[in-house]
Amino acid sequence: MRTFIRNASLFCAIQLVIGGLLILNATQQPQYGFMAAFEDKIRLLREHDEPTLIVLGGSNVAFGIDSPTLQQHCDMPVINGGLHAALGLQFYLDVATDCAKEGDVVVLMPEWMLLTGGTKPAPDLRLSMVQESPASWRYFCHLDCSELKTFVDDQAFCVLTSLVQSGSKLPTESRIQRKFEEAQLPDAYSRLKFNANGDFVGHHDLGTTKEIEKMKADVKFKPAVTLEAAERINACAQTLRERGAKVYLAYCPVPEPHFDKHQSSYDSLHELLTKNLDVPVLHHPDQVKYPTSYFYDTVCHLNLTGKMTRTKLVAQSLHGKFRVASKPVEKTLR
C-alpha cells in the first residue's frame, strides 16, 4: 500500500510539473488580443518613476482619451489604463491602489454602468482576461466567498485546462505570423492598436461605423447601488491621498439622443455623487453629451473627433488644479 501511495504521489507530482511547464509555455506565447494590452498597461503603471497623470476606466477611456494632447495641456506624463467596462469598477480601483505613487494624479472615468451596478467583473470576461493577461489575476482576488467559490468551481479549471492545451501547441512561426496578421486587420480590436501611452488608436481612420442612436443605452438610477460605488471610490481615494496622490472623477461620454431620453437619471446620479463623493467631479454629465457622429461603434467609444473634443474638456477641467513639469512617457507598449 505504501508503495502504491508513493508511486501515485510521484505520478501526480510529475503531472503537476508537466502541467506547470505547459502553463508557463502558454503564458509566454505572443498574445495580440485586445485584453492582452493590459500586460503593457500594467507594466507602464508599475514602472513609472515620476509624477504621472493616470486615467482609468473601461473602453470609454481606451478609445476616448488622447494622451499626447492631455500630456501637453497638463505638462506631465500620461498613462491610459482604460480597457473594458465589464472588468468592473473595483478592478480599476484596485489597479489605482496598486500602482499610483506620490505626486500622481488619478482621473477615474467609469462607464455609467459601473456607477449603477457594475462594481464587480463579469465572469466570462474575467475568464478570457486571465487567459490573455496573466498579470491581471491579482486584481480578481477581492471576491467574496460565494464569488470565489463560483470562480473556482466554474472557471478556474477551465482557465487551467485552456492554458495547458495552449501550452501543448508549440508556437510555430506560421502560427505566430497568422495571429500577428489577424491583429493588424483594419477593424481589429488588438494589442497592436494601442500607442505608447495606452490609447487605442486603431479606429482613428474609421469614423462612425454603426447606428449609435439605435443602440440600447438605458441608465437606471439606483441610489443604493450608486452609493456603494461612491463608497468604493472614496475608500480608494483615501488610500491614494494618504500616499500623496490626487484623485478626480470624470464622466463617460454619452450620445445626445440617449442623454436627452434619460436626462433626469443623469442629473440624479450627478447630484448623488457630488453629495457623497470625497473626490472632486470635473464636470456635469451634460458636458459629455456628444452628437452620434462623434462615436465610433458603441455608445461609449468615441471616434477621433469625439476623442479630441473629450480630451480637451478633461484638460480644461484639470487646468489649474496641479502643475508638475516633467519629461514625456518614453516606454513603449511593445
Side-chain angles (χ1 to χ4, degrees):
M1 185 65 180
R2 289 181 180 177
T3 301
F4 171 77
I5 293 175
R6 184 177 64 250
N7 291 340
S9 299
L10 179 60
F11 175 79
C12 291
I14 293 173
Q15 301 311 306
L16 287 173
V17 170
I18 294 173
L21 291 175
L22 291 175
I23 290 173
L24 180 62
N25 181 42
T27 59
Q28 292 180 340
Q29 291 183 24
Q31 295 288 340
Y32 302 117
F34 184 82
M35 307 305 287
F38 185 74
E39 293 290 295
D40 309 308
K41 290 172 179 280
I42 198 64
R43 176 174 54 82
L44 290 176
L45 289 166
R46 287 176 179 165
E47 294 179 1
H48 76 280
D49 56 5
E50 60 181 319
T52 297
L53 176 58
I54 298 171
V55 192
L56 290 171
S59 57
N60 90 88
V61 178
F63 283 77
I65 288 294
D66 186 73
S67 292
T69 298
L70 195 57
Q71 187 167 286
Q72 181 180 8
H73 280 273
C74 296
D75 198 22
M76 67 189 305
V78 176
I79 297 175
N80 184 331
L83 195 63
H84 200 307
L87 291 171
L89 176 63
Q90 192 61 50
F91 180 91
Y92 293 105
L93 297 180
D94 289 342
V95 169
T97 301
D98 186 35
C99 300
K101 304 174 183 178
E102 181 179 0
D104 287 346
V105 177
V106 178
V107 181
L108 301 172
M109 298 182 179
E111 277 79 355
W112 297 103
M113 62 174 284
L114 301 187
L115 296 172
T116 58
T119 58
K120 300 174 183 178
D124 291 343
L125 188 72
R126 183 168 58 206
L127 175 63
S128 60
M129 181 68 172
V130 173
Q131 290 174 319
E132 290 194 37
S133 173
S136 67
W137 72 267
R138 64 187 299 170
Y139 303 109
F140 296 127
C141 292
H142 302 292
L143 303 175
D144 59 38
C145 293
S146 62
E147 291 174 320
L148 184 59
K149 184 178 185 303
T150 299
F151 177 67
V152 173
D153 291 346
D154 299 341
Q155 294 185 307
F157 182 74
C158 294
V159 172
L160 291 174
T161 300
S162 176
L163 288 173
V164 169
Q165 290 175 341
S166 178
S168 66
K169 301 174 183 177
L170 294 178
T172 62
E173 184 176 343
S174 61
R175 197 163 147 256
I176 293 175
Q177 182 63 27
R178 184 169 66 253
K179 288 175 64 176
F180 182 78
E181 291 173 352
E182 290 174 352
Q184 289 184 309
L185 293 174
D187 59 347
Y189 277 26
S190 90
R191 181 181 188 174
L192 301 179
K193 300 294 184 71
F194 289 83
N195 67 10
N197 297 85
D199 307 332
F200 188 84
V201 298
H203 65 313
H204 281 185
D205 298 326
L206 302 181
T208 299
T209 62
K210 296 184 179 179
E211 295 183 85
I212 303 298
E213 65 277 2
K214 294 184 179 180
M215 293 183 176
K216 184 178 180 181
D218 295 345
V219 174
K220 297 180 180 179
F221 179 51
K222 302 176 182 178
V225 176
T226 300
L227 283 173
E228 179 189 351
E231 290 174 1
R232 290 171 181 260
I233 293 172
N234 286 340
C236 172
Q238 178 63 28
T239 299
L240 297 188
R241 283 194 296 267
E242 292 173 355
R243 194 179 298 168
K246 298 180 182 294
V247 185
Y248 301 93
L249 180 81
Y251 290 127
C252 176
V254 57
E256 287 179 344
H258 299 295
F259 180 88
D260 294 341
K261 181 179 178 181
H262 301 284
Q263 182 171 354
S264 61
S265 292
Y266 288 110
D267 290 341
S268 297
L269 269 168
H270 177 69
E271 181 180 0
L272 185 66
L273 288 171
T274 52
K275 286 182 178 179
N276 291 278
L277 278 177
D278 296 332
V279 173
V281 180
L282 293 179
H283 48 74
H284 190 277
D286 65 9
Q287 291 180 268
V288 287
K289 68 171 184 177
Y290 297 123
T292 55
S293 61
Y294 278 24
F295 290 78
Y296 168 49
D297 63 348
T298 78
V299 295
C300 294
H301 296 173
L302 293 170
N303 58 27
L304 181 58
T305 300
K307 171 190 277 194
M308 299 307 296
T309 303
R310 193 259 194 110
T311 299
K312 290 176 182 177
L313 169 67
V314 174
Q316 292 167 358
S317 301
L318 288 170
H319 181 72
K321 289 183 167 56
F322 59 87
R323 183 174 180 80
V324 180
S326 58
K327 61 185 179 181
V329 174
E330 296 178 351
K331 300 182 179 68
T332 60
L333 281 180
R334 297 182 299 279

